[in-house]
Amino acid sequence: ASWSVTPGTALAIATAATAVAIASSLVPSLSVQEKLRRAEERCKHLESQVAVLQRQVKESANQILDPNADIEKQDDITHDAVVQQQKKQQPPTIEDETQADGGIFLKRVGTIRSIYRLCVGTPRQGLLCPNARGCIELDKIGDSSSASSVIGLEQYSHIWIIFVFHLNTKSSNPKRIKSKIAPPALGGKKVGIYATRSPHRYNPIGITLCKIDRIEKIAKTKHTEERIQIHISGLDLVDGTPVLDIKPFVPTYDSVPMDVRLPSWVEGGLATKRNVVIGQDALDDLTVILEKDKNALQFYGQRYGEKTVQETVEYAVECIRQVLAIDVRSNFQTKKAREGKFQAERAKRLQGAAAAAAADGGRGTNAVASDVCTQQLDNLLIQYVVDETSDTKRSTSV
């Protein structure tokens, strides 16, 4: 094989040859190199010792300036260790959190879906409207299982629901807290807030009793997680109400002997109900709606046990009758209703639905007479007139 030498290759060969010559000349002096290497290692060792001494001098100087520094540091370490050990042994209680923060953090466990879209007109005693329907959509809390949380609940007939009055209006003055309430049944007379069941309380928390109709498990899909719905009836909660807790109703624990004491304005009012007359035109309109779309109502129809359109009409109409018969409002709201000045579709919570219905050619957006009130129940906009004589007793509201 043939090969050639380039200028660069020639230079490399020359350099290598020179290095070999220099190495050959240093062979007799290996002992000198070894001495130099050892001296270099000793210098590095001395430099390391000097650095250690410098750190010690600096720490000694700090100790002189603040003799308690190490003691305090050690005390802090010891205290933190004790606190951590106590936390491991005994987890903090709700009382500890209250004392530390001045309040208690409560997590929502579910949300109410119901026929009631507005606070005004919603009955304050759900069991007086047994045909009123809704459901609780449970939230997934942490890594817990919503399905597991309701195991055994189907064995009970009723549940207590602890909830938040989320639509309460707040005063512009945060320091203004009312201690007296004027229940509608007292005609303007006030009593202490704890003598009423008004939603306007120091803590806007309520409790209500509902009947369990069924518990539904909605399977997981590609786009949604598994969901649990507790279908209930006889409720008085507005759609969207946050649920704080659910407890089974046990008559032995939750009922008291009959020798209970009540104020006369509470005891006498529960028996008073308005006489509600539903016209044939209204029945015909509802029948036409359901014949056109059997699923027009969210909480009534075949999905809820009614087998025919006629059964759905009868059940829904009875609900309307129950709600209007015990419709309890403040004196101001009652005056508006009697004068025909309350229209549900004007409420902000319903304006979006009204606009959608208008775009779809819905009948519920037609203009109504000036003396006619409206009330939203499920997907129906109810038109009604309040015609009461002066001697008609008010339904009670505590």
Side-chain angles (χ1 to χ4, degrees), residues 119-156:
C119 294
V120 177
T122 298
R124 297 187 183 180
Q125 305 299 330
L127 291 180
L128 298 178
C129 296
N131 285 33
R133 288 175 176 169
C135 71
I136 306 172
E137 293 184 346
L138 295 182
D139 292 350
K140 180 174 174 59
I141 308 299
D143 59 356
S144 65
S145 169
S146 298
S148 298
S149 67
V150 296
I151 293 177
L153 186 61
E154 74 283 353
Q155 299 177 32
Y156 296 90

Side-chain angles (χ1 to χ4, degrees), residues 244-391:
L244 298 179
D245 199 9
I246 300 168
K247 300 179 184 293
F249 171 75
V250 181
T252 305
Y253 306 148
D254 300 337
S255 300
V256 295
M258 294 306 295
D259 56 340
V260 297
R261 184 173 65 252
L262 291 173
S264 58
W265 60 271
V266 175
E267 190 174 18
L270 288 173
T272 303
K273 294 184 179 180
R274 291 190 179 97
N275 180 34
V276 179
V277 178
I278 299 179
Q280 186 60 45
D281 289 345
L283 297 175
D284 293 341
D285 286 346
L286 181 55
T287 301
V288 171
I289 291 172
L290 292 174
E291 287 178 343
K292 182 179 179 181
D293 182 4
K294 295 181 180 180
N295 296 321
L297 299 182
Q298 184 178 357
F299 292 101
Y300 301 94
Q302 293 182 352
R303 293 173 297 176
Y304 288 84
E306 286 79 54
K307 298 179 181 179
T308 64
V309 169
Q310 186 59 31
E311 285 186 14
T312 305
V313 170
E314 292 176 357
Y315 204 94
V317 167
E318 183 58 26
C319 177
I320 296 171
R321 191 189 309 276
Q322 293 168 357
V323 171
L324 295 182
I326 61 169
D327 186 359
V328 178
R329 303 167 186 250
S330 66
N331 290 332
F332 173 72
Q333 292 292 349
T334 298
K335 185 175 183 296
K336 287 180 65 176
R338 288 175 176 171
E339 295 175 353
K341 294 181 180 180
F342 178 79
Q343 278 79 38
E345 67 274 17
R346 295 179 182 176
K348 291 182 178 180
R349 284 172 60 85
L350 300 183
Q351 286 177 357
D360 193 38
R363 304 179 60 178
T365 58
N366 296 336
V368 297
S370 60
D371 62 340
V372 175
C373 296
T374 58
Q375 174 71 29
Q376 179 85 12
L377 290 176
D378 202 296
N379 293 328
L380 297 174
L381 189 64
I382 313 300
Q383 299 178 3
Y384 66 97
V385 177
V386 178
D387 183 13
E388 292 182 330
T389 60
S390 59
D391 60 345

